[in-house]
Amino acid sequence: MSDPSHNAGSAERSLGQLVASATAEMSALVHDEIALAKAELRQDVKRGAIGGIAISTAGVLALFSLPVLSFAAAYGIHNLGLGLAWSFLIVGGAFLLLAGLLGLLAVTKFKKVKPPEKSIASAKATAATLQGVKPHPRPATVEIAVTDSGATVARSSA
């Protein structure tokens, strides 16, 4: 019987070669994952930028239409038989009333805002856990201490 480790088809590699191969493959995998994440982020940033430009343009157009619609509302009320000054005062008052209601809504929503308690608790727990971890553990040294009774006790300095 022949030794299976000496077969012509088998390629025996040392532990160092296996570790080097695994390290290279892990490095390639990490680099590929980073490249994938960059590509996804690039695509998301592009979509976000296009969405931001679209919403900004919509906001500017809505802002430009506000005076035109205000004048149309005031002249519409004037055509109902009210004086022009009163028509503009009614439209202005409606805007102030709407602004006041939105301001009250904002204040009530801001009062309901609380700190992220779960995240804070999690961060504190993580910090407490990490405080007990030493960055470079030292080998434990054993000291022999003699007590008053004469018995020896082994103690670790770690």
Side-chain angles (χ1 to χ4, degrees), residues 47-71:
R47 287 180 185 152
I50 291 171
I53 290 169
I55 196 76
S56 298
T57 304
V60 166
L61 291 175
L63 185 64
F64 286 165
S65 70
L66 192 60
V68 173
L69 294 174
S70 298
F71 275 96

Side-chain angles (χ1 to χ4, degrees), residues 34-121:
I34 290 172
L36 177 63
K38 283 181 180 179
E40 287 177 345
L41 284 174
R42 207 174 295 123
Q43 189 177 24
D44 287 344
V45 166
K46 186 177 179 181
R47 287 180 185 152
I50 291 171
I53 290 169
I55 196 76
S56 298
T57 304
V60 166
L61 291 175
L63 185 64
F64 286 165
S65 70
L66 192 60
V68 173
L69 294 174
S70 298
F71 275 96
Y75 280 109
I77 293 172
H78 176 67
N79 284 339
L80 294 176
L82 227 56
L84 193 57
W86 287 109
S87 301
F88 276 96
L89 281 173
I90 290 171
V91 171
F95 281 141
L96 287 176
L97 180 65
L98 183 61
L101 290 174
L102 288 174
L104 285 174
L105 176 68
V107 168
T108 57
K109 293 297 178 182
F110 284 140
K111 285 183 178 179
K112 291 181 181 179
V113 173
K114 293 185 169 85
E117 294 165 355
K118 290 180 182 178
S119 297
I120 292 171

